[in-house]
Structures are given as C-alpha cells and as structure tokens.
Amino acid sequence: MTKTEAKTRSELVDLQLALAGWNVKDHTQVVEEFDIITALPNGVVEPKTPYEGHQFSDYVLLGKDGKPLAVVEAKRTSKDAALGREQAKQYCYNIQKQIGGELPFCFYTNGHQLYFWDLENAPPRKIVGFPTRDDLERFTYIRRNRKPLTQELINTAIAGRDYQIRAIRSVLEGIEQKKREFLLVMATGTGKTRTCIALTDALMRAGHAEKVLFLVDRIALREQALAAFKEHMPNEPRWPNVGEKLIAKDRRIYVATYPTMLNIIRDDTQHLSPHFFDFIVVDESHRSIYNTFGEVLSYFKTITLGLTATPTDIIDHNTFELFHCEDGIPTFAYTYEEAVNNVPPYLCNFQVMKIQTKFQMEGISKRTISLEDQKKLILQGKEVEDINFEGTQLEKQVVNKGTNTLIVREFMEEAIKDGNGVLPGKTIFFCATKAHARRIEEIFDKLYPQYHGELAKVLVSDDPRVYGKGGLLDQFTNNDMPRIAISVDMLDTGIDVREIVNLVFAKPVYSYTKFWQMVGRGTRLLETNKPKPWCLEKDVFLIIDCWDNFEYFKLNPKGKELKPQLALPVKLVSLRLDKIEAANDTGHADIAASEVAKLRAQIAALPQNSVVIKEAAAALARLKDNNFWLPLNHDKLEFLRAEIKPLFRTVSEADFKAMRFERDVLEYSLAVLREEKAQAEILQEGIVEQISELPLSVPFVKLEEELIRAAQATLFWNKANEGSFDELIIKLGPLMKFREQNTGQEQMHLDLVDELHKKEWVEFGPQNEAVSVTRYREMVENLIAELTEHNSVLKKIKNGEMVSAEEANELAELLHEEHPNITEDLLRQVYKNRKARFIQFMRHILGIEVLRSFPDEVSSAFEQFIRSHTTLTSRQLEFLNLLKNFIIDREKLEKKDLISAPFTVLHPQGIRGVFNPTEINEILQLAQALAA
C-alpha cells in the first residue's frame, strides 16, 4: 500500500527522526517546511504569488547553536527516493547562501530508503537511519578540522616496520581518494593489530576519526586487542572496562565481539546510532561474518578495514566483495614468505616432523593387535574378531589410549626444550574433541606425575577458568607453567604467545585457511626487550604432524570445499513456500490458506530491530496489504522466495530443536501432498525415531505420553492429516530439547600398545634449505667450540693474536675434513656475507668480532631512511623496498638501473616518476654508499 508524501512523513520519516533523537515538534531541533528565500527570475521585480522566490524544505535539522546542520527531502513511498536528490542539494546550497556558515548535510528518502550526501566531499550513499544531533555536529567538526592524510606522520614506535608503514600509507591514501572499504592481507605474526593501532592513531591525530570500533570474533581476542590499545594508545578512553556490560558513549576506542555488537544494535534500551563510529576494523574477516554478523557492518556503514591472515589466493570471494576489492586484489598484502625471507626475518620459520603410529596407518584389527593385547582382550570378555577399525576412525568410533600415549611420549622426546634441555618449551596440542583433550591431559599427568598436574592444561572456550587475569590462558602466556596448552579450536586462531616453539597436530585438519592459522600460532619471533626465562631464544619452531596434514594440503591445496548451507529458518520458509505452491497446484485451497497463515505469523515475528529487516522495509510493506495474498500466484511466490525468504537468516533467538522437528514434519507433509511415497516413508522413519527418543521420565514429556505412543504406530500415519501434523508440531516440537539422542555406534575404548610406524623430518616452508642452514650453523659452532680446547690456531684467534696465511690454510684444511664439511663458500652462504674471509668467520663464531651481514647492513640503512622520511607514499615505500632487495641481491647498483626493470614496473620512468630530484639525490647517495 503506497502512502502520500504527508503520510510518508508523519508515519515513517517522523518516527525515523525520533529514533535518532530528533523531536519534529521541537522547533529548536527540527523545522518543517523551512522557508528558503531565493532570487526572483530575471526581469521579475515583485513576486506574483506568495510562493515565488521561496523554496520549502521538508525538514531542516538544527544544531545546538540553532544553525542548520542538515536538510531532509521526503518523497512518497511509491516514488524513488533519488527523485529528491537534486532538490535537497539545491536546498543545501540555497540555505548556505541565505544564512552563511557551513554547507548543510543532505538527506533524501521515500520512507523506506534513506540516502546521505556529504556534498563536495563524497558521493551519496544509502544508510539505515538518521544521525543524531551529536553525530552531525561531530561530522561538521571533522569536516572543518581534518588534515590531509598524505602528510600525516605515522607513529613508528607503534608500527615501524617498512611493510607496516606501506600498509598504513595504502589505507590513508585510499581514504584521501574517498574510498571507504579496505582489506589488509598480512601473515599471522606480522603485527596486524599494531598496524591498525598506528593507523587509528594517525586518523585520530589528523582529525579524521573520533570514535573507532575494533571487531573480533572471540572474547580472548577482545582482551588481547584491549591490552594492545592500552599499551600503544594509553591516553585514549576504551570500552569495555572490566565488568562493563552496557555500552558507554563517552569513549573513543571500542573493542567488541560480533555477537556483543549485534545484541547492542538490536537492543532498544541502549540505542546506538548507525553513525556512532568513524572507523571500523574487522579482525579475522575471512571468518563467517557474511550471514548474521554481516548485519553489524551493514548497520555501521562507515570507513571499514578488514584484516585477514589468509593467503590472497585462498581468500573467499565473499571477503573481496565485502571490501569492494576488484579482481581479488587486496589494498595491501604481506605474505609469510616475505616475512621469513626478509633480512633480518620478521617471522620464524619452522621444521616439520611427521609421526605416524601403526594403528593410524594400518588400523586396529586382529592382524595389527599384539598377541599379548589379544590375550588381555579375551580376559576382558571382548571378541578380538569384532574389533576392526580403520586408522581414520581413531578418536571418532574408537579411542585407543596406547596411541595417545605414544604421541605424548614422542612429543616429549622430540620437542624443542627450554634452556635447561629438560622440559618442552611452550606448546599447543591441537585435539579433535574436548574428550580427546581431557584424555591427553590425563596421559601427561600419569606419565609425568612429578609436575603435579601443572605441565599440561586443557584450554577450551566454554571453560570460565580460561579467561581473565590469573586464568589458564594468562598462566600459559605469562607463567613458567603450564608448558603445554591442549586446545580444541580455541587456540587455533588469533592467540598471540610469542614463546610457542612446538605445535602438535593430534587431529586432521581439512580447511586450508584454518590450517595456516594454526601454523601461525608459532611464527612470531621473541621480543628482545621482554625476555621470559623459559624461552630466551627462538630461531625456528617445531611442528609435529601426527595426521599427515602437510601431505594432505600438498595434494589438496585449498583443502576440503565446504558446501554453503541454508540457515534452518530459511530452509523452513522455503519448504512452506513449496507446500503453498503444491497445495495451490493440486487444488487444496484449505491447506494453502493454513500454510499462508503460518507464513504470515513467521514474517511478523522477524526481528524488527535488525538492519537487514529495516533495509527490506519496502518489500515487507507490500505484504501488509491483504490483497497481496489473494490470490497467491506464482509471480508472488517468486517474489517471496527472492525477497522475503533470505530475511530469515536474521532469526537467531529460537528453539532450533523444535524448528528442526517442524521442518521434518513439514517436509513429510509436502511429500504426501506431492504423492512421493518413497520419500515420505524415509521422512516418516526419521520423525518416528525422534519421537521414540523422548524420555517419558521427564514430567513435561510424560504429559504427552498418549500422543508419543500413538505417533510411533503405523495406524497414526495411515490416518494422519494436516490437523495431525499441526498437533505433532505444537505438542511435541517444544519437547525435542529433552530427546535422549542415540548417536549410533558407541565409541569403543581400548588400551592397546601402539608402536611407531614412521618418523621423519619434512623440509617444508618458504625456504626448504632454511632447516638445514639453521642446523648447519649449530653444528659448525659446536664443532669449533670443541676444537678450540686443543687447536693452537683457534686458541690464537680466540686470544686476539695474529694468524699467518699458512696457519689459516692449515685450519681451513682441517675443518674441510671434519663433519660437517666447512668451507669459506658455505660459511659465506650460511652467514649471508659474501665478502668476509675465512678467519673473519672464525673470529665471529668465537665472539671476538661481530660480523654484520651485508643484507643486515642494507636493511638497517633503508629502515633508518624510511623512519626519517615519514611522509613517503605507499608507492615510494614500495619502490624503496624493491631497491633494498635489488641491492641485497646484486651487491651493486648503477644509475641506469633505476630507470630500468624491475623499477619501471612501478612507473614507466622508473625512479623519476616516483620521486622528485632532491629525493632522487638522497636515494642515490644511500644506494651508492651501500653498493660501493
């Protein structure tokens, strides 16, 4: 039903303004039919009518000083809101001409769709609600006082690495170009949070943002982010403080989980304006934020930055679409390979040890169980012939204590240890289930009782003991014990503990994204200024892979493709629409009418505070007219499928067990209607099974005993009609939460001795040779330390005495024959210094002389140059990074190189197209000094 412009204003626009705190009856806040005096047409001296020389704006919103802040132009609901666009713009300019001061903000609407236009600053954009007076005054202040972002200094004390500066510059330049969505792809451990804090700091200092929201997907990550903001921006007030539940509107930094923010924007009692934030950071934005939690981003349509560690080629297309990255190219990307290969490295490389047991490889059966264990099983009254499991069924259909024990023992033997060489360093054990995690914990306690149950602890998200100061996660991060965190999903992503040196994959992983996030738990290097006694050095970390995960991802680079699933409320509505259509087509008008009534009740129950529902106001308004439903033809059904059905993804507060039962009964009734007997029989069996699992020992269930018993008989289904189906749904649906579900095959618990089938090192990672290089250095340094005790030449070097050429050659020959084979060329490669001589390496190894590698020298010089030139653009930073790597690789540079490839990739004129002459001279001096 369409409304006149007057009704649109009184019944829709007035209410929307009231929701944002504007009282249309208070003339100090809102003036309706605001009189704008305009010039008379050429040649006209006196107005011919009372309206000539006047324009009347539907609404003008006033500031606290009584001056116009915004113009609102309203059209009737049947008109396109855009018809008011030019009219509203004209009003804004004419008001400024008449009154002076600043240009008002521009809004135009048809009651269902609302657009905001910051004239001369940005194109119009659709929004979900009006700003409050405070919002508009904040917008005005920002517009008046903001500084150019291209010149804004970046606080390098927060994020000073070259790639972090480049990432920040990319976003700042994008904001200057009026872009509103950005995506940073940065490997785990490269400082995404610090980069965002430095970016937030720059935006606030430049006057572009006053209120910032940092969204995360778990409580532990919220605590981590709050601590980081407290450390790097200590003077900015943050929300929440400890114990705060209700939103406080007087802070500048807000950190929240998606569910928390979703509840706030749907809560009438603590209304939060959709314009409350100036900048939003979406952490781990590869995760499933597109359904329910996408609503948060749709509500706050402000400048948004997505963060992800997922490699660019694996990122879901939805992520790129959400942040408007065309052709799958993020705003900025920095990979794990780049971080590890940097000199010095920004991330830690890893070694992989593959461990597999006999039962994992060959299964558990009479053929693989030892004779001794077979005797034990017989004594326990078990039939050995009945035990027959595949290796892949471990921790699913069968649990074998011996397999878990073997994995724990192998870990304790092979793990990277602390400085004392006794206890493993900080470790995460990734387990399949909570029960699996508890079993692993029990094995640690039993095998190593001397640590009094403190060595290994289970950390799962639903355990309240995990969180807060002194909680298990805090203990694992900041205390000597526990050394081993046994995790089920909770520690797979986002947790930042730099001292982790071991990861144990005690479960198979099928998601490539998740797998590399799990690997990312160990990639962070230590902070030299914050040493912890249980981990004083870390140049590599160990992954013990018990389930061949690395091999799986070599064969399946993107992992297992998961099919998108329809949300249960959406599926229920879809079935109901199918049933209405089938009833209409088969002449069952009574059934169609009954289902239409149920559908209308479902539509009425949609969460009205959801932004998704608000944005669909025009479509939903059509349904309020009874004529829409009479008759409900195929075109209208298609409209319901296309426009209304998807809205049910917003349903989050419901009895989903009852809904699942209703779906099954509805699907059965549809099969009966379509005369699909085979399908109906299958569905009937499933429904009867669910009913049979209702426990009559529960008083509520006992009340429906007669119906429960009847519904399990064939007679009931032979006579069942629409009334019977409704009775089942109404009476038994709410009882489904009491079901004693039979999980099928019971899990068999065994305690059989397992044995090691395979243990091997796997070269993996961005540099296959990195493992052997690290080992080689250790072996060289250990050998020279040993030889120094009885070798006269090494003693002379250690004492700082001169060594003759003959003695140097004699030492070189000796080391060449030793294991490992030591040559000057290998030492140059390992210590990354192509110019140093043999004796210089010996002096370096013995600690007499610090031998700075050429890459170290170059990197340090470029870092210093970037720090002293803080207004460099992202393209200039990219050029410098390319130049740094060019010099490291070639060790020489000529002027002509700078106007040739690879530098012409960034600009056809090379350096001349990126820097001005003064800057070029500075860069040439730097480069020539290094490459001399």
Side-chain angles (χ1 to χ4, degrees):
M1 187 188 291
T2 61
K3 298 179 189 290
T4 62
E5 186 176 313
K7 279 202 165 188
T8 299
R9 285 171 57 177
S10 64
E11 294 179 15
L12 296 173
V13 182
D14 287 5
L15 294 176
Q16 290 163 10
L17 284 165
L19 189 62
W22 298 98
N23 181 354
V24 290
K25 303 305 175 194
D26 181 349
H27 299 307
T28 65
Q29 293 185 38
V30 183
V31 178
E32 294 185 90
E33 303 300 337
F34 186 92
D35 188 359
I36 306 165
I37 299 166
T38 59
L40 291 169
N42 287 338
V44 177
V45 180
E46 291 289 325
K48 295 172 186 172
T49 70
Y51 300 106
E52 196 169 17
H54 295 265
Q55 291 175 329
F56 296 93
S57 170
D58 291 333
Y59 305 86
V60 167
L61 310 181
L62 305 176
K64 289 170 188 161
D65 59 3
K67 292 179 182 175
L69 281 173
V71 164
V72 181
E73 179 59 27
K75 295 294 174 195
R76 64 170 65 197
T77 55
S78 59
K79 300 261 186 181
D80 185 348
L83 292 174
R85 172 174 164 163
E86 289 305 311
Q87 202 176 343
K89 170 186 165 183
Q90 199 179 93
Y91 293 165
C92 288
Y93 281 111
N94 287 340
I95 287 172
Q96 186 187 36
K97 199 181 291 181
Q98 177 179 324
I99 297 174
E102 298 195 46
L103 185 64
F105 294 104
C106 178
F107 295 87
Y108 51 95
T109 179
N110 64 1
H112 294 317
Q113 295 170 323
L114 172 62
Y115 291 86
F116 170 48
W117 194 0
D118 184 0
L119 292 160
E120 299 182 3
N121 282 295
R125 56 193 172 89
K126 194 176 178 187
I127 55 174
V128 296
F130 286 102
T132 63
R133 180 185 264 182
D134 286 344
D135 290 334
L136 287 177
E137 293 196 327
R138 189 177 84 249
F139 291 170
T140 305
Y141 179 83
I142 288 172
R143 187 170 68 179
R144 186 192 312 130
N145 295 291
R146 64 189 171 199
K147 295 184 285 186
L149 288 171
T150 48
Q151 299 300 311
E152 188 55 46
L153 299 179
I154 293 165
N155 185 344
T156 54
I158 301 174
R161 293 176 176 177
D162 57 350
Y163 65 86
Q164 292 171 334
I165 293 169
R166 275 157 43 213
I168 294 166
R169 277 277 165 242
S170 299
V171 177
L172 294 180
E173 287 169 11
I175 294 172
E176 282 288 287
Q177 293 159 13
K178 310 302 178 190
K179 292 177 183 171
R180 297 180 65 79
E181 285 92 15
F182 305 91
L183 180 64
L184 297 186
V185 180
M186 294 171 70
T188 299
T190 52
K192 292 192 294 294
T193 305
R194 286 179 78 127
T195 301
C196 287
I197 293 172
L199 176 58
T200 300
D201 173 69
L203 288 171
M204 285 185 163
R205 282 188 288 104
H208 279 252
E210 290 197 0
K211 291 184 184 293
V212 172
L213 172 63
F214 195 91
L215 276 173
V216 297
D217 67 349
R218 274 175 296 129
I219 293 168
L221 299 183
R222 184 192 70 188
E223 302 306 312
Q224 206 165 275
L226 280 167
F229 273 105
K230 183 179 179 180
E231 180 183 354
H232 300 298
M233 295 179 73
N235 299 322
E236 296 296 352
R238 297 169 300 280
W239 181 87
N241 290 325
V242 178
E244 280 188 305
K245 299 290 182 195
L246 294 176
I247 190 87
K249 297 184 182 179
D250 58 347
R251 314 295 163 79
R252 279 163 63 84
I253 305 288
Y254 292 76
V255 184
T257 62
Y258 297 121
T260 297
M261 195 47 65
L262 184 64
N263 289 338
I264 287 169
I265 64 178
R266 286 187 176 183
D267 186 353
D268 284 336
T269 61
Q270 46 177 343
H271 176 72
L272 196 62
S273 163
H275 306 273
F276 187 76
F277 298 109
D278 304 306
F279 180 55
I280 295 179
V281 177
V282 185
D283 194 19
E284 303 297 350
S285 50
H286 59 274
R287 299 177 77 82
S288 53
I289 60 172
Y290 313 108
N291 293 335
T292 308
F293 298 138
E295 187 177 323
V296 176
L297 300 186
S298 298
Y299 186 76
F300 299 114
K301 285 183 177 169
T302 187
I303 297 170
T304 305
L305 172 67
L307 300 179
T308 181
T310 306
T312 306
D313 56 338
I314 301 297
I315 293 176
D316 190 282
H317 73 278
N318 286 328
T319 306
F320 286 125
E321 282 177 17
L322 188 69
F323 296 98
H324 295 97
C325 296
E326 293 173 15
D327 305 323
I329 300 169
T331 310
F332 178 82
Y334 191 69
T335 65
Y336 175 63
E337 287 80 359
E338 288 176 277
V340 170
N341 290 331
N342 192 72
V343 182
Y346 287 131
L347 288 181
C348 191
N349 206 344
F350 57 86
Q351 301 171 324
V352 180
M353 173 173 273
K354 186 155 63 173
I355 288 176
Q356 285 185 303
T357 74
K358 182 180 178 180
F359 288 157
Q360 281 179 307
M361 294 298 289
E362 299 178 13
I364 305 177
S365 64
K366 186 174 182 180
R367 183 176 59 82
T368 56
I369 300 170
S370 69
L371 288 172
E372 195 174 329
D373 275 337
Q374 286 188 36
K375 287 175 190 172
K376 282 184 191 172
L377 288 168
I378 291 164
L379 289 172
Q380 291 166 11
K382 290 178 180 171
E383 290 285 346
V384 179
E385 280 76 9
D386 292 346
I387 298 172
N388 189 11
F389 296 98
E390 296 290 329
T392 53
Q393 291 179 291
L394 277 161
E395 289 305 326
K396 293 174 185 170
Q397 286 82 9
V398 62
V399 171
N400 182 45
K401 190 175 180 182
T403 303
N404 287 329
T405 302
L406 182 60
I407 287 170
V408 168
R409 285 187 190 278
E410 284 298 323
F411 158 72
M412 289 297 281
E413 186 179 321
E414 297 295 346
I416 292 176
K417 309 292 194 299
D418 61 13
N420 298 322
V422 177
L423 282 177
K426 292 287 179 174
T427 301
I428 300 178
F429 244 83
F430 298 116
C431 289
T433 63
K434 289 173 191 172
H436 182 205
R438 296 286 175 208
R439 286 192 285 272
I440 294 286
E441 183 183 49
E442 284 170 18
I443 289 166
F444 272 108
D445 289 347
K446 187 176 178 182
L447 292 179
Y448 309 101
Q450 64 270 39
Y451 301 113
H452 316 297
E454 298 295 333
L455 180 63
K457 293 282 179 76
V458 172
L459 274 71
V460 289
S461 54
D462 60 358
D463 184 350
R465 298 174 305 155
V466 167
Y467 304 105
K469 194 161 179 63
L472 290 173
L473 183 56
D474 183 52
Q475 290 174 36
F476 178 64
T477 307
N478 297 309
N479 296 358
D480 183 29
M481 292 284 194
R483 289 295 177 89
I484 299 139
I486 307 168
S487 162
V488 184
D489 294 333
M490 182 189 162
L491 300 180
D492 293 1
T493 61
I495 300 297
D496 177 5
V497 181
R498 292 177 178 274
E499 293 73 25
I500 287 170
V501 289
N502 302 294
L503 297 175
V504 181
F505 282 83
K507 68 173 182 181
V509 183
Y510 299 108
S511 160
Y512 183 89
T513 299
K514 190 172 183 183
F515 176 69
W516 280 105
Q517 283 185 306
M518 291 160 83
V519 170
R521 297 311 100 223
T523 57
R524 287 177 175 82
L525 293 167
L526 301 179
E527 288 181 301
T528 49
N529 59 335
K530 297 178 184 175
K532 291 181 178 170
W534 53 87
C535 187
L536 296 173
E537 56 180 37
K538 174 183 175 182
D539 55 10
V540 69
F541 69 99
L542 174 65
I543 295 174
I544 297 179
D545 184 5
C546 306
W547 282 96
D548 234 358
N549 289 296
F550 280 89
E551 196 61 36
Y552 174 79
F553 289 111
K554 276 183 189 174
L555 298 173
N556 306 279
K558 293 195 176 186
K560 192 181 281 183
E561 293 292 330
L562 296 175
K563 291 178 183 174
Q565 289 191 327
L566 273 182
L568 182 59
V570 177
K571 177 68 176 165
L572 185 65
V573 169
S574 180
L575 285 168
R576 184 146 279 140
L577 289 169
D578 289 349
K579 188 174 175 183
I580 292 167
E581 188 168 37
N584 281 338
D585 292 348
T586 54
H588 291 87
D590 54 335
I591 294 177
S594 171
E595 294 300 332
V596 164
K598 291 171 193 168
L599 177 62
R600 293 184 74 172
Q602 281 181 276
I603 292 167
L606 282 166
Q608 298 305 307
N609 290 337
S610 163
V611 63
V612 176
I613 304 306
K614 286 177 182 175
E615 287 188 325
L620 288 166
R622 280 187 66 185
L623 310 187
K624 290 178 181 174
D625 185 349
N626 286 328
N627 292 326
F628 173 86
W629 302 93
L630 298 168
L632 198 57
N633 57 32
H634 286 288
D635 287 345
K636 289 177 182 175
L637 282 165
E638 282 313 307
F639 168 78
L640 291 168
R641 286 190 178 101
E643 301 294 331
I644 306 302
K645 183 180 80 174
L647 302 180
F648 282 83
R649 70 184 187 276
T650 60
V651 175
S652 56
E653 292 180 13
D655 181 346
F656 286 102
K657 289 185 177 176
M659 193 181 284
R660 201 165 280 115
F661 181 70
E662 182 179 2
R663 176 203 64 190
D664 293 346
V665 174
L666 185 58
E667 196 168 359
Y668 171 79
S669 67
L670 177 59
V672 170
L673 195 60
R674 288 174 171 168
E675 297 183 356
E676 296 170 345
K677 290 184 179 177
Q679 175 73 353
E681 280 175 20
I682 294 166
L683 292 165
Q684 180 191 318
E685 277 178 31
I687 295 165
V688 169
E689 187 179 340
Q690 291 177 60
I691 294 169
S692 71
E693 290 165 357
L694 290 171
L696 294 170
S697 55
V698 175
F700 291 111
V701 178
K702 181 75 173 168
L703 291 172
E704 301 298 340
E705 182 176 3
E706 188 181 341
L707 178 58
I708 289 168
R709 293 196 185 281
Q712 294 179 60
T714 310
L715 184 64
F716 176 89
W717 296 95
N718 290 341
K719 291 184 174 181
N721 55 26
E722 288 297 315
S724 313
F725 303 147
D726 288 346
E727 187 182 19
L728 286 176
I729 290 164
I730 293 163
K731 291 184 175 178
L732 302 190
L735 303 180
M736 286 297 146
K737 57 179 168 281
F738 300 114
R739 256 174 77 200
E740 294 174 341
Q741 200 168 347
N742 178 12
T743 55
Q745 186 181 352
E746 290 296 315
Q747 208 175 43
M748 182 177 278
H749 286 254
L750 301 170
D751 187 2
L752 309 175
V753 174
D754 202 349
E755 59 189 62
L756 204 57
H757 180 273
K758 183 172 23 173
K759 178 160 77 171
E760 60 183 44
W761 288 97
V762 180
E763 287 196 342
F764 204 94
Q767 278 185 303
N768 289 340
E769 73 278 14
V771 172
S772 55
V773 165
T774 308
R775 281 220 199 119
Y776 181 82
R777 276 178 70 158
E778 284 175 11
M779 291 162 81
V780 167
E781 287 164 12
N782 290 339
L783 175 65
I784 288 170
E786 269 178 51
L787 291 176
T788 304
E789 291 178 24
H790 51 78
N791 183 281
S792 58
V793 182
L794 285 170
K795 278 182 181 174
K796 282 177 81 173
I797 295 170
K798 189 170 185 179
N799 295 332
E801 298 172 33
M802 290 295 292
V803 173
S804 67
E806 194 179 320
E807 287 173 317
N809 287 336
E810 183 189 316
L811 179 62
E813 282 174 25
L814 169 69
L815 293 178
H816 185 69
E817 290 165 9
E818 290 283 345
H819 177 77
N821 171 264
I822 300 173
T823 66
E824 189 173 76
D825 283 344
L826 272 172
L827 290 171
R828 284 178 173 177
Q829 183 188 334
V830 167
Y831 288 93
K832 295 186 175 76
N833 191 316
R834 298 178 190 172
K835 294 180 178 177
R837 307 298 303 174
F838 185 80
I839 293 300
Q840 284 179 281
F841 286 117
M842 296 302 107
R843 291 169 65 80
H844 173 73
I845 291 165
L846 291 168
I848 308 303
E849 174 185 323
V850 174
L851 192 62
R852 198 172 188 192
S853 73
F854 180 67
D856 272 346
E857 219 172 286
V858 174
S859 296
S860 176
F862 271 85
E863 217 163 88
Q864 205 172 329
F865 185 87
I866 289 168
R867 281 175 183 271
S868 61
H869 295 76
T870 52
T871 59
L872 292 165
T873 68
S874 58
R875 182 182 283 190
Q876 289 173 329
L877 288 163
E878 205 174 330
F879 188 96
L880 290 173
N881 192 48
L882 197 60
L883 179 58
K884 177 188 80 173
N885 293 331
F886 185 90
I887 293 171
I888 288 171
D889 189 44
R890 308 233 182 144
E891 294 192 353
K892 60 180 182 179
L893 180 83
E894 295 178 34
K895 282 185 184 179
K896 65 179 182 183
D897 291 331
L898 296 170
I899 52 170
S900 309
F903 303 105
T904 48
V905 171
L906 294 177
H907 194 282
Q909 295 178 8
I911 194 169
R912 291 173 188 158
V914 181
F915 294 94
N916 64 41
T918 311
E919 292 167 333
I920 290 172
N921 282 334
E922 278 190 78
I923 291 164
L924 279 172
Q925 285 173 19
L926 169 72
Q928 286 166 349
L930 289 168

